[in-house]
Amino acid sequence: MNYDETQQKLILREMEKDLLAILAINLANDDFEVIYSDGAYKDYKNRFHEKDFFYYWVKSGLRLIYEEDRFRMRAEITHKNLEEQLKDKDAYYTICRFIIDGRPAYCRIKAAKSVLEEDVVIISIRNVDEEIRHDMERLAEMEELHRRETVYREAILANSAGFMEVNLTKDQITTKIYDNRDEWLPKELTIPELGAPISYDAFEKWWAGHMLLSDKKEFLEFSNCAHLIDCFEKGQRVVSIECKARTITGEVNICLETYYISRDELTGDIVAVCVLYDLTQQQKREQDMQELKKTLEQMRMKNFISQMHPHFLYNALSSIREIVLTDPEYGADMLYDFTTHLRASIRAMSNDDRIWFSQELENIKAYVSIERMRFGERLNVVYDIEGADFMIIPLSIQPIVENAIKHGLYEKGDKGGTVTLKVWEEEDSWEISVIDDGIGFDPEEVRKQIDAGERDSTGLYNLIFRLENMMDASVELNSSVGEGTTVLIHIPKKD
Protein backbone atom coordinates (compact mmCIF):
# COMPACT_ATOMS: atom_id res chain seq x y z
CA MET A 1 0.00 0.00 0.00
CA ASN A 2 1.30 3.43 -0.91
CA TYR A 3 -0.08 6.47 0.91
CA ASP A 4 0.68 10.02 -0.20
CA GLU A 5 1.70 12.69 2.31
CA THR A 6 -1.88 13.96 2.78
CA GLN A 7 -3.19 10.47 3.49
CA GLN A 8 -0.35 9.84 5.94
CA LYS A 9 -1.24 13.04 7.82
CA LEU A 10 -4.90 12.00 7.97
CA ILE A 11 -3.93 8.58 9.36
CA LEU A 12 -1.57 10.22 11.86
CA ARG A 13 -4.28 12.67 12.93
CA GLU A 14 -6.72 9.79 13.44
CA MET A 15 -4.17 7.91 15.56
CA GLU A 16 -3.49 11.06 17.60
CA LYS A 17 -7.19 11.77 18.18
CA ASP A 18 -7.23 10.37 21.71
CA LEU A 19 -3.60 11.20 22.49
CA LEU A 20 -3.40 13.91 25.15
CA ALA A 21 0.34 14.37 25.59
CA ILE A 22 3.83 12.92 25.03
CA LEU A 23 6.67 13.86 27.33
CA ALA A 24 10.34 12.93 27.36
CA ILE A 25 12.05 12.71 30.79
CA ASN A 26 15.77 12.35 31.37
CA LEU A 27 16.07 10.27 34.53
CA ALA A 28 19.73 11.28 34.86
CA ASN A 29 18.76 14.85 35.88
CA ASP A 30 14.90 14.86 35.76
CA ASP A 31 14.81 17.41 32.90
CA PHE A 32 11.83 17.00 30.58
CA GLU A 33 10.27 18.27 27.38
CA VAL A 34 6.66 18.25 26.20
CA ILE A 35 6.86 16.72 22.73
CA TYR A 36 3.15 16.64 22.00
CA SER A 37 0.20 18.21 23.74
CA ASP A 38 -3.46 18.72 22.84
CA GLY A 39 -2.96 17.99 19.15
CA ALA A 40 0.06 20.27 18.67
CA TYR A 41 2.58 17.84 17.15
CA LYS A 42 6.33 18.54 17.41
CA ASP A 43 9.40 16.66 16.25
CA TYR A 44 11.47 15.07 19.02
CA LYS A 45 14.83 16.91 19.02
CA ASN A 46 16.50 15.37 22.10
CA ARG A 47 16.62 18.60 24.02
CA PHE A 48 14.96 19.43 27.35
CA HIS A 49 13.34 22.78 28.03
CA GLU A 50 12.11 22.27 31.61
CA LYS A 51 13.76 21.27 34.87
CA ASP A 52 12.76 18.81 37.61
CA PHE A 53 9.80 16.97 36.09
CA PHE A 54 8.76 15.25 39.33
CA TYR A 55 8.57 18.53 41.22
CA TYR A 56 6.43 19.92 38.39
CA TRP A 57 4.25 16.76 38.47
CA VAL A 58 3.47 17.14 42.18
CA LYS A 59 2.90 20.89 42.06
CA SER A 60 0.95 21.19 38.80
CA GLY A 61 0.41 17.90 36.97
CA LEU A 62 -1.66 16.23 39.70
CA ARG A 63 -4.23 19.03 39.45
CA LEU A 64 -5.29 17.60 36.09
CA ILE A 65 -6.11 14.24 37.69
CA TYR A 66 -9.46 13.36 39.24
CA GLU A 67 -9.27 13.91 42.99
CA GLU A 68 -9.90 10.27 44.00
CA ASP A 69 -6.89 9.12 41.91
CA ARG A 70 -4.37 11.80 42.92
CA PHE A 71 -2.91 10.06 45.96
CA ARG A 72 -2.24 6.86 44.00
CA MET A 73 -0.72 8.69 41.02
CA ARG A 74 1.53 10.75 43.29
CA ALA A 75 2.97 7.45 44.54
CA GLU A 76 3.24 5.83 41.09
CA ILE A 77 4.81 8.65 39.03
CA THR A 78 8.06 9.09 40.94
CA HIS A 79 11.70 8.87 39.87
CA LYS A 80 12.25 5.79 42.03
CA ASN A 81 9.14 3.94 40.86
CA LEU A 82 9.81 4.55 37.15
CA GLU A 83 13.36 3.23 37.51
CA GLU A 84 12.12 0.13 39.32
CA GLN A 85 9.30 -0.54 36.87
CA LEU A 86 11.57 -0.17 33.80
CA LYS A 87 14.51 -2.06 35.25
CA ASP A 88 13.54 -5.41 33.68
CA LYS A 89 11.00 -4.37 31.03
CA ASP A 90 10.69 -1.85 28.22
CA ALA A 91 7.35 -0.32 29.17
CA TYR A 92 5.11 0.31 32.19
CA TYR A 93 1.35 1.04 32.08
CA THR A 94 -1.14 2.47 34.54
CA ILE A 95 -4.70 3.78 34.37
CA CYS A 96 -6.10 6.86 36.09
CA ARG A 97 -8.81 9.44 35.54
CA PHE A 98 -8.02 12.93 34.20
CA ILE A 99 -10.49 15.80 34.25
CA ILE A 100 -11.51 16.32 30.61
CA ASP A 101 -14.31 18.70 29.65
CA GLY A 102 -15.26 18.99 33.32
CA ARG A 103 -15.71 15.28 34.02
CA PRO A 104 -13.44 12.35 34.97
CA ALA A 105 -12.22 10.34 31.98
CA TYR A 106 -10.11 7.18 32.09
CA CYS A 107 -6.65 7.63 30.58
CA ARG A 108 -3.76 5.23 30.06
CA ILE A 109 -0.30 6.43 31.01
CA LYS A 110 2.52 4.56 29.29
CA ALA A 111 6.14 4.95 30.34
CA ALA A 112 8.68 3.43 27.89
CA LYS A 113 12.44 3.43 27.52
CA SER A 114 13.61 5.65 24.67
CA VAL A 115 15.22 3.83 21.73
CA LEU A 116 17.23 6.99 20.96
CA GLU A 117 18.92 7.85 24.24
CA GLU A 118 19.90 6.10 27.44
CA ASP A 119 18.22 7.29 30.70
CA VAL A 120 15.37 8.86 28.69
CA VAL A 121 11.82 7.76 29.34
CA ILE A 122 8.95 8.62 26.99
CA ILE A 123 5.58 9.09 28.74
CA SER A 124 2.38 9.13 26.69
CA ILE A 125 -1.09 9.92 28.01
CA ARG A 126 -4.01 8.61 25.96
CA ASN A 127 -7.75 9.02 26.53
CA VAL A 128 -9.18 5.49 26.75
CA ASP A 129 -12.41 6.45 28.55
CA GLU A 130 -14.74 5.12 25.87
CA GLU A 131 -13.13 1.69 25.65
CA ILE A 132 -12.69 1.37 29.45
CA ARG A 133 -16.34 2.22 30.08
CA HIS A 134 -17.37 -0.15 27.29
CA ASP A 135 -15.30 -2.89 28.96
CA MET A 136 -16.89 -2.07 32.32
CA GLU A 137 -20.37 -2.31 30.83
CA ARG A 138 -19.45 -5.58 29.18
CA LEU A 139 -18.05 -6.88 32.48
CA ALA A 140 -21.24 -5.84 34.28
CA GLU A 141 -23.29 -7.65 31.64
CA MET A 142 -21.15 -10.77 32.03
CA GLU A 143 -21.48 -10.63 35.83
CA GLU A 144 -25.26 -10.28 35.51
CA LEU A 145 -25.32 -13.20 33.05
CA HIS A 146 -23.22 -15.26 35.46
CA ARG A 147 -25.58 -14.34 38.32
CA ARG A 148 -28.60 -15.40 36.28
CA GLU A 149 -26.91 -18.65 35.27
CA THR A 150 -26.08 -19.31 38.93
CA VAL A 151 -29.67 -18.64 40.02
CA TYR A 152 -30.95 -20.82 37.18
CA ARG A 153 -28.58 -23.64 38.09
CA GLU A 154 -29.45 -23.41 41.79
CA ALA A 155 -33.15 -23.47 40.93
CA ILE A 156 -32.64 -26.59 38.80
CA LEU A 157 -30.55 -28.38 41.41
CA ALA A 158 -32.41 -27.24 44.54
CA ASN A 159 -34.64 -30.31 44.82
CA SER A 160 -32.41 -32.79 43.04
CA ALA A 161 -31.10 -36.06 44.43
CA GLY A 162 -27.88 -35.77 42.41
CA PHE A 163 -26.35 -34.25 39.28
CA MET A 164 -23.31 -34.17 37.01
CA GLU A 165 -22.05 -32.13 34.07
CA VAL A 166 -21.30 -33.94 30.84
CA ASN A 167 -19.53 -33.16 27.56
CA LEU A 168 -21.66 -35.13 25.13
CA THR A 169 -19.42 -34.42 22.14
CA LYS A 170 -16.39 -35.94 23.91
CA ASP A 171 -18.36 -38.52 25.93
CA GLN A 172 -16.87 -37.28 29.21
CA ILE A 173 -18.17 -36.48 32.68
CA THR A 174 -16.56 -33.09 33.26
CA THR A 175 -17.32 -32.58 36.98
CA LYS A 176 -17.56 -34.58 40.14
CA ILE A 177 -20.74 -36.67 40.34
CA TYR A 178 -22.76 -35.11 43.17
CA ASP A 179 -25.02 -37.24 45.37
CA ASN A 180 -26.94 -34.64 47.36
CA ARG A 181 -28.30 -37.06 49.97
CA ASP A 182 -25.62 -39.78 50.01
CA GLU A 183 -28.28 -42.30 48.98
CA TRP A 184 -27.43 -43.13 45.39
CA LEU A 185 -23.67 -43.66 45.23
CA PRO A 186 -21.02 -45.05 47.60
CA LYS A 187 -19.03 -42.47 49.57
CA GLU A 188 -15.94 -43.23 47.48
CA LEU A 189 -17.08 -43.81 43.93
CA THR A 190 -14.62 -46.38 42.55
CA ILE A 191 -15.56 -47.93 39.21
CA PRO A 192 -12.31 -49.43 37.86
CA GLU A 193 -13.72 -50.38 34.46
CA LEU A 194 -14.59 -46.76 33.63
CA GLY A 195 -11.10 -45.29 33.81
CA ALA A 196 -10.32 -41.56 33.95
CA PRO A 197 -11.64 -39.29 32.66
CA ILE A 198 -14.91 -41.13 33.15
CA SER A 199 -16.85 -41.95 30.00
CA TYR A 200 -20.43 -40.75 30.35
CA ASP A 201 -21.89 -43.63 28.30
CA ALA A 202 -19.87 -46.12 30.33
CA PHE A 203 -21.10 -44.58 33.59
CA GLU A 204 -24.73 -44.77 32.45
CA LYS A 205 -24.22 -48.49 31.67
CA TRP A 206 -22.76 -48.96 35.15
CA TRP A 207 -25.68 -47.04 36.69
CA ALA A 208 -28.22 -49.11 34.73
CA GLY A 209 -26.54 -52.35 35.73
CA HIS A 210 -26.13 -51.59 39.45
CA MET A 211 -28.97 -49.22 40.46
CA LEU A 212 -31.72 -49.31 37.80
CA LEU A 213 -34.76 -51.57 38.26
CA SER A 214 -36.83 -50.48 35.24
CA ASP A 215 -36.22 -51.25 31.54
CA LYS A 216 -32.43 -50.92 31.12
CA LYS A 217 -32.47 -51.09 27.32
CA GLU A 218 -35.00 -48.24 27.01
CA PHE A 219 -33.04 -46.14 29.51
CA LEU A 220 -29.68 -46.60 27.74
CA GLU A 221 -31.17 -45.90 24.30
CA PHE A 222 -32.53 -42.63 25.65
CA SER A 223 -29.63 -41.44 27.81
CA ASN A 224 -26.62 -42.11 25.54
CA CYS A 225 -24.54 -39.28 24.04
CA ALA A 226 -25.65 -39.84 20.44
CA HIS A 227 -29.39 -39.65 21.30
CA LEU A 228 -28.99 -36.54 23.50
CA ILE A 229 -26.98 -34.76 20.77
CA ASP A 230 -29.70 -35.70 18.27
CA CYS A 231 -32.31 -34.19 20.63
CA PHE A 232 -30.31 -30.95 20.83
CA GLU A 233 -29.97 -30.72 17.04
CA LYS A 234 -33.75 -31.13 16.75
CA GLY A 235 -34.23 -28.16 19.08
CA GLN A 236 -34.97 -30.07 22.29
CA ARG A 237 -33.05 -28.36 25.10
CA VAL A 238 -34.61 -30.21 28.04
CA VAL A 239 -35.46 -33.93 27.88
CA SER A 240 -36.40 -36.38 30.65
CA ILE A 241 -36.95 -40.06 31.28
CA GLU A 242 -38.73 -41.61 34.24
CA CYS A 243 -37.25 -44.72 35.82
CA LYS A 244 -37.28 -46.85 38.95
CA ALA A 245 -34.01 -47.10 40.88
CA ARG A 246 -32.63 -48.56 44.09
CA THR A 247 -30.67 -46.50 46.64
CA ILE A 248 -27.57 -47.86 48.35
CA THR A 249 -29.78 -48.55 51.41
CA GLY A 250 -32.02 -50.80 49.28
CA GLU A 251 -34.97 -48.39 49.12
CA VAL A 252 -36.83 -48.38 45.79
CA ASN A 253 -37.80 -44.93 44.47
CA ILE A 254 -39.39 -43.50 41.34
CA CYS A 255 -36.92 -41.07 39.69
CA LEU A 256 -36.85 -38.57 36.86
CA GLU A 257 -33.55 -38.13 35.06
CA THR A 258 -33.55 -34.76 33.28
CA TYR A 259 -30.95 -33.44 30.81
CA TYR A 260 -30.48 -29.68 30.31
CA ILE A 261 -28.60 -29.55 26.98
CA SER A 262 -26.69 -26.59 25.50
CA ARG A 263 -23.68 -25.70 23.36
CA ASP A 264 -20.43 -24.50 24.95
CA GLU A 265 -19.76 -21.07 23.44
CA LEU A 266 -15.96 -21.43 23.72
CA THR A 267 -15.45 -24.94 22.32
CA GLY A 268 -18.66 -25.51 20.35
CA ASP A 269 -19.14 -28.87 22.10
CA ILE A 270 -22.62 -30.10 23.05
CA VAL A 271 -22.80 -30.27 26.86
CA ALA A 272 -25.48 -31.19 29.38
CA VAL A 273 -26.30 -30.99 33.06
CA CYS A 274 -27.77 -34.34 34.05
CA VAL A 275 -30.06 -34.01 37.10
CA LEU A 276 -31.66 -36.87 39.02
CA TYR A 277 -34.94 -35.99 40.76
CA ASP A 278 -36.36 -38.34 43.38
CA LEU A 279 -40.10 -38.27 42.64
CA THR A 280 -40.86 -40.40 45.69
CA GLN A 281 -39.31 -37.78 47.96
CA GLN A 282 -41.11 -35.01 46.08
CA GLN A 283 -44.42 -36.81 46.56
CA LYS A 284 -43.68 -37.09 50.28
CA ARG A 285 -42.88 -33.38 50.43
CA GLU A 286 -46.13 -32.58 48.60
CA GLN A 287 -48.05 -34.71 51.08
CA ASP A 288 -46.32 -32.93 53.96
CA MET A 289 -47.25 -29.56 52.39
CA GLN A 290 -50.87 -30.63 52.07
CA GLU A 291 -50.91 -31.75 55.70
CA LEU A 292 -49.34 -28.44 56.73
CA LYS A 293 -51.97 -26.49 54.78
CA LYS A 294 -54.69 -28.56 56.43
CA THR A 295 -53.20 -27.92 59.88
CA LEU A 296 -52.94 -24.18 59.20
CA GLU A 297 -56.55 -24.11 58.02
CA GLN A 298 -57.70 -25.87 61.18
CA MET A 299 -55.70 -23.47 63.33
CA ARG A 300 -57.13 -20.49 61.48
CA MET A 301 -60.65 -21.72 62.19
CA LYS A 302 -59.79 -22.41 65.82
CA ASN A 303 -58.31 -18.94 66.06
CA PHE A 304 -61.53 -17.42 64.70
CA ILE A 305 -63.73 -19.49 67.00
CA SER A 306 -61.60 -18.47 69.99
CA GLN A 307 -62.20 -14.81 69.07
CA MET A 308 -65.96 -15.25 68.84
CA HIS A 309 -66.86 -16.76 72.23
CA PRO A 310 -70.60 -16.21 72.82
CA HIS A 311 -69.98 -14.73 76.26
CA PHE A 312 -67.63 -12.12 74.74
CA LEU A 313 -70.27 -11.11 72.18
CA TYR A 314 -73.01 -11.02 74.79
CA ASN A 315 -70.98 -9.03 77.33
CA ALA A 316 -69.78 -6.53 74.69
CA LEU A 317 -73.27 -5.94 73.27
CA SER A 318 -74.80 -5.69 76.75
CA SER A 319 -72.24 -3.06 77.75
CA ILE A 320 -72.83 -1.08 74.54
CA ARG A 321 -76.62 -1.18 75.11
CA GLU A 322 -76.24 0.27 78.58
CA ILE A 323 -73.87 3.01 77.37
CA VAL A 324 -76.17 4.00 74.52
CA LEU A 325 -78.91 4.80 77.06
CA THR A 326 -76.68 7.17 79.05
CA ASP A 327 -74.11 8.42 76.50
CA PRO A 328 -75.30 7.87 72.91
CA GLU A 329 -72.18 9.38 71.29
CA TYR A 330 -69.80 7.15 73.26
CA GLY A 331 -72.10 4.21 72.59
CA ALA A 332 -71.92 4.89 68.84
CA ASP A 333 -68.10 4.87 69.04
CA MET A 334 -68.16 1.55 70.88
CA LEU A 335 -70.57 0.08 68.35
CA TYR A 336 -68.19 1.14 65.56
CA ASP A 337 -65.25 -0.51 67.36
CA PHE A 338 -67.29 -3.68 67.91
CA THR A 339 -68.23 -3.96 64.22
CA THR A 340 -64.60 -3.24 63.21
CA HIS A 341 -63.41 -6.14 65.37
CA LEU A 342 -66.23 -8.39 64.15
CA ARG A 343 -65.45 -7.65 60.47
CA ALA A 344 -61.77 -8.41 61.01
CA SER A 345 -62.62 -11.75 62.63
CA ILE A 346 -65.04 -12.76 59.87
CA ARG A 347 -62.52 -11.76 57.17
CA ALA A 348 -59.88 -13.93 58.86
CA MET A 349 -62.31 -16.85 58.86
CA SER A 350 -62.76 -16.64 55.08
CA ASN A 351 -59.06 -16.61 54.12
CA ASP A 352 -55.51 -16.01 55.31
CA ASP A 353 -54.60 -13.42 52.66
CA ARG A 354 -52.10 -10.96 54.07
CA ILE A 355 -53.24 -7.50 55.10
CA TRP A 356 -51.38 -4.28 55.88
CA PHE A 357 -50.27 -4.05 59.49
CA SER A 358 -52.21 -0.77 59.74
CA GLN A 359 -55.41 -2.84 59.29
CA GLU A 360 -54.35 -5.25 62.02
CA LEU A 361 -53.55 -2.25 64.23
CA GLU A 362 -57.04 -0.85 63.64
CA ASN A 363 -58.52 -4.14 64.85
CA ILE A 364 -56.23 -4.14 67.90
CA LYS A 365 -57.32 -0.63 68.88
CA ALA A 366 -60.98 -1.54 68.35
CA TYR A 367 -60.63 -4.60 70.59
CA VAL A 368 -58.79 -2.61 73.29
CA SER A 369 -61.57 0.00 73.26
CA ILE A 370 -64.15 -2.72 73.87
CA GLU A 371 -62.16 -4.18 76.76
CA ARG A 372 -61.50 -0.72 78.24
CA MET A 373 -65.24 -0.06 78.10
CA ARG A 374 -65.74 -3.07 80.38
CA PHE A 375 -62.70 -2.82 82.66
CA GLY A 376 -62.03 0.92 82.76
CA GLU A 377 -58.83 2.31 84.30
CA ARG A 378 -57.47 -1.14 85.15
CA LEU A 379 -56.40 -1.48 81.52
CA ASN A 380 -53.60 0.67 80.10
CA VAL A 381 -52.30 0.07 76.55
CA VAL A 382 -49.28 1.92 75.13
CA TYR A 383 -48.72 2.08 71.36
CA ASP A 384 -45.16 2.71 70.17
CA ILE A 385 -45.52 2.35 66.39
CA GLU A 386 -42.55 3.45 64.27
CA GLY A 387 -43.85 1.96 61.04
CA ALA A 388 -46.80 0.01 59.62
CA ASP A 389 -45.83 -0.28 55.95
CA PHE A 390 -45.65 -4.09 55.80
CA MET A 391 -47.96 -7.06 55.31
CA ILE A 392 -49.04 -9.60 57.91
CA ILE A 393 -51.55 -12.43 58.21
CA PRO A 394 -54.87 -11.31 59.76
CA LEU A 395 -55.64 -11.94 63.42
CA SER A 396 -51.99 -12.60 64.21
CA ILE A 397 -51.07 -9.77 66.60
CA GLN A 398 -54.50 -8.86 68.01
CA PRO A 399 -54.90 -12.28 69.73
CA ILE A 400 -51.46 -11.83 71.36
CA VAL A 401 -52.60 -8.47 72.76
CA GLU A 402 -55.85 -10.12 73.86
CA ASN A 403 -53.92 -12.91 75.53
CA ALA A 404 -51.81 -10.35 77.41
CA ILE A 405 -54.93 -8.54 78.63
CA LYS A 406 -57.07 -11.54 79.59
CA HIS A 407 -54.46 -13.92 80.96
CA GLY A 408 -51.89 -11.38 82.09
CA LEU A 409 -53.52 -8.23 83.45
CA TYR A 410 -57.02 -9.27 84.53
CA GLU A 411 -55.67 -12.07 86.70
CA LYS A 412 -54.09 -9.32 88.80
CA GLY A 413 -57.54 -8.18 89.87
CA ASP A 414 -58.15 -4.53 90.71
CA LYS A 415 -54.47 -3.64 90.17
CA GLY A 416 -54.73 -4.06 86.42
CA GLY A 417 -51.63 -3.26 84.41
CA THR A 418 -50.07 -2.14 81.14
CA VAL A 419 -49.66 -3.75 77.74
CA THR A 420 -47.10 -2.16 75.40
CA LEU A 421 -47.27 -2.78 71.64
CA LYS A 422 -44.05 -1.71 69.92
CA VAL A 423 -43.27 -1.91 66.20
CA TRP A 424 -39.99 -0.89 64.58
CA GLU A 425 -38.01 -1.50 61.41
CA GLU A 426 -34.59 -3.14 61.12
CA GLU A 427 -32.44 -3.41 57.98
CA ASP A 428 -33.79 -6.82 56.98
CA SER A 429 -36.86 -7.32 59.19
CA TRP A 430 -39.84 -5.82 60.94
CA GLU A 431 -39.90 -6.26 64.71
CA ILE A 432 -43.06 -6.46 66.83
CA SER A 433 -43.11 -6.82 70.61
CA VAL A 434 -46.08 -7.25 72.95
CA ILE A 435 -45.10 -6.74 76.59
CA ASP A 436 -47.34 -6.98 79.64
CA ASP A 437 -46.67 -6.65 83.34
CA GLY A 438 -49.28 -9.26 84.23
CA ILE A 439 -49.00 -12.40 86.36
CA GLY A 440 -46.79 -14.27 83.85
CA PHE A 441 -46.54 -18.05 83.52
CA ASP A 442 -44.07 -20.91 83.19
CA PRO A 443 -43.73 -21.66 79.41
CA GLU A 444 -42.27 -25.12 80.00
CA GLU A 445 -45.07 -26.11 82.34
CA VAL A 446 -47.72 -24.88 79.89
CA ARG A 447 -46.06 -26.83 77.06
CA LYS A 448 -46.07 -30.01 79.18
CA GLN A 449 -49.77 -29.53 79.93
CA ILE A 450 -50.55 -29.09 76.23
CA ASP A 451 -48.53 -32.19 75.27
CA ALA A 452 -50.29 -34.20 78.00
CA GLY A 453 -53.69 -33.05 76.75
CA GLU A 454 -54.41 -31.30 80.06
CA ARG A 455 -54.69 -27.90 78.41
CA ASP A 456 -56.24 -26.69 75.13
CA SER A 457 -53.47 -25.68 72.68
CA THR A 458 -55.69 -23.13 70.97
CA GLY A 459 -54.19 -19.70 71.55
CA LEU A 460 -50.68 -18.37 71.75
CA TYR A 461 -48.84 -21.47 70.53
CA ASN A 462 -51.19 -21.79 67.53
CA LEU A 463 -50.45 -18.17 66.62
CA ILE A 464 -46.72 -18.81 66.86
CA PHE A 465 -47.11 -21.84 64.58
CA ARG A 466 -49.01 -19.74 61.98
CA LEU A 467 -46.48 -16.91 62.05
CA GLU A 468 -43.53 -19.27 61.65
CA ASN A 469 -45.05 -21.29 58.80
CA MET A 470 -46.87 -18.55 56.89
CA MET A 471 -44.59 -15.55 57.41
CA ASP A 472 -41.19 -17.26 57.87
CA ALA A 473 -41.20 -15.32 61.15
CA SER A 474 -39.34 -16.24 64.29
CA VAL A 475 -41.07 -15.78 67.63
CA GLU A 476 -39.44 -15.42 71.04
CA LEU A 477 -41.62 -16.01 74.08
CA ASN A 478 -40.36 -15.06 77.53
CA SER A 479 -42.45 -15.12 80.67
CA SER A 480 -41.80 -15.16 84.39
CA VAL A 481 -44.37 -15.90 87.07
CA GLY A 482 -45.27 -12.68 88.86
CA GLU A 483 -43.38 -10.44 86.43
CA GLY A 484 -45.15 -10.60 83.07
CA THR A 485 -44.75 -11.82 79.52
CA THR A 486 -42.91 -10.63 76.42
CA VAL A 487 -43.60 -11.86 72.89
CA LEU A 488 -41.06 -10.70 70.27
CA ILE A 489 -41.76 -11.35 66.58
CA HIS A 490 -39.14 -11.03 63.82
CA ILE A 491 -40.72 -10.81 60.36
CA PRO A 492 -38.14 -10.97 57.54
CA LYS A 493 -38.48 -8.53 54.66
CA LYS A 494 -39.14 -10.07 51.27
CA ASP A 495 -37.40 -8.89 48.06
Side-chain angles (χ1 to χ4, degrees), residues 36 78 98 110 136 140 204 207 213 222 226 231 248 265 279 311-312 334 361 405 419 444 472 481:
Y36 172 87
T78 64
F98 280 74
K110 174 184 177 182
M136 291 170 66
E204 289 294 275
W207 164 264
L213 298 177
F222 181 90
C231 289
I248 57 176
E265 292 184 1
L279 299 185
H311 73 267
F312 169 78
M334 289 300 98
L361 181 61
I405 293 172
V419 175
E444 291 299 322
D472 291 328
V481 176

Side-chain angles (χ1 to χ4, degrees), residues 133-149:
R133 293 189 186 277
H134 178 269
D135 289 344
M136 291 170 66
E137 290 175 2
R138 178 59 180 159
L139 180 61
E141 290 174 0
M142 292 177 66
E143 288 177 348
E144 175 62 16
L145 180 61
H146 176 70
R147 185 193 68 79
R148 291 181 181 179
E149 288 178 346

Side-chain angles (χ1 to χ4, degrees), residues 35-276:
I35 300 172
Y36 172 87
S37 177
D38 296 331
Y41 181 80
K42 299 179 182 179
D43 292 326
Y44 177 37
K45 299 180 180 178
N46 289 338
R47 63 176 186 269
F48 299 86
H49 301 302
E50 301 290 346
K51 302 289 185 182
D52 201 348
F53 167 78
F54 299 103
Y55 175 82
Y56 166 81
W57 173 251
V58 172
K59 291 298 182 182
S60 301
L62 286 174
R63 296 177 185 174
L64 304 174
I65 294 178
Y66 186 51
E67 186 175 1
E68 293 182 5
D69 294 349
R70 287 176 190 170
F71 182 80
R72 177 173 61 85
M73 295 312 300
R74 180 170 184 167
E76 285 196 40
I77 306 300
T78 64
H79 186 119
K80 181 179 179 182
N81 188 54
L82 287 179
E83 282 189 329
E84 289 180 354
Q85 294 292 341
L86 297 173
K87 185 185 300 181
D88 300 319
K89 52 189 177 185
D90 294 329
Y92 161 65
Y93 298 88
T94 187
I95 298 288
C96 71
R97 288 167 291 180
F98 280 74
I99 301 297
I100 300 176
D101 296 331
R103 71 174 186 86
Y106 287 95
C107 296
R108 182 177 63 236
I109 299 177
K110 174 184 177 182
K113 296 177 182 177
S114 172
V115 296
L116 303 177
E117 249 188 297
E118 191 178 356
D119 295 330
V120 173
V121 174
I122 306 298
I123 291 184
S124 63
I125 305 172
R126 182 178 294 277
N127 186 343
V128 292
D129 189 69
E130 186 176 344
E131 55 190 274
I132 290 286
R133 293 189 186 277
H134 178 269
D135 289 344
M136 291 170 66
E137 290 175 2
R138 178 59 180 159
L139 180 61
E141 290 174 0
M142 292 177 66
E143 288 177 348
E144 175 62 16
L145 180 61
H146 176 70
R147 185 193 68 79
R148 291 181 181 179
E149 288 178 346
T150 300
V151 171
Y152 180 61
R153 181 182 294 269
E154 288 176 353
I156 290 174
L157 304 179
N159 297 315
S160 68
F163 66 95
M164 60 183 170
E165 294 182 10
V166 179
N167 186 317
L168 298 173
T169 302
K170 296 179 179 177
D171 183 24
Q172 288 181 1
I173 297 176
T174 54
T175 63
K176 175 184 174 183
I177 303 171
Y178 292 90
D179 180 1
N180 290 346
R181 294 200 299 268
D182 294 330
E183 293 179 349
W184 299 97
L185 299 171
K187 288 286 186 182
E188 297 295 331
L189 180 60
T190 304
I191 313 172
E193 62 266 29
L194 298 185
I198 297 177
S199 160
Y200 164 72
D201 279 346
F203 173 80
E204 289 294 275
K205 290 177 182 177
W206 177 89
W207 164 264
H210 290 77
M211 313 296 287
L212 202 65
L213 298 177
S214 51
D215 191 322
K216 296 177 175 57
K217 180 180 179 183
E218 179 186 4
F219 176 82
L220 292 175
E221 287 177 350
F222 181 90
S223 65
N224 67 78
C225 288
H227 178 257
L228 295 176
I229 291 174
D230 184 56
C231 289
F232 178 80
E233 291 175 346
K234 290 178 179 177
Q236 297 173 275
R237 300 296 185 262
V238 181
V239 293
S240 302
I241 183 171
E242 191 171 306
C243 58
K244 185 183 294 184
R246 180 180 57 244
T247 68
I248 57 176
T249 59
E251 188 176 343
V252 177
N253 287 349
I254 303 299
C255 302
L256 185 71
E257 191 155 314
T258 302
Y259 305 86
Y260 299 87
I261 314 171
S262 60
R263 185 183 297 277
D264 190 305
E265 292 184 1
L266 294 178
T267 65
D269 292 345
I270 309 292
V271 296
V273 178
C274 174
V275 185
L276 181 69

Side-chain angles (χ1 to χ4, degrees), residues 4 15 66 108 171 221 284 344 369 377 381 439 443 486 495:
D4 59 29
M15 295 300 294
Y66 186 51
R108 182 177 63 236
D171 183 24
E221 287 177 350
K284 289 179 181 178
S369 293
E377 297 301 321
V381 178
I439 62 170
T486 297
D495 295 334

Side-chain angles (χ1 to χ4, degrees), residues 397 399-401 403-405 407-409 418-424 431-443 460-461 464 467 474-490:
I397 308 302
I400 298 176
V401 174
N403 192 76
I405 293 172
H407 302 293
L409 303 189
T418 299
V419 175
T420 300
L421 173 63
K422 181 177 175 62
V423 179
W424 69 99
E431 307 291 314
I432 304 172
S433 67
V434 179
I435 305 171
D436 70 71
D437 58 2
I439 62 170
F441 63 94
D442 184 344
L460 190 58
Y461 287 100
I464 292 173
L467 285 165
S474 61
V475 182
E476 298 177 26
L477 172 63
N478 295 293
S479 187
S480 298
V481 176
E483 295 182 10
T485 302
T486 297
V487 180
L488 179 60
I489 304 167
H490 310 265

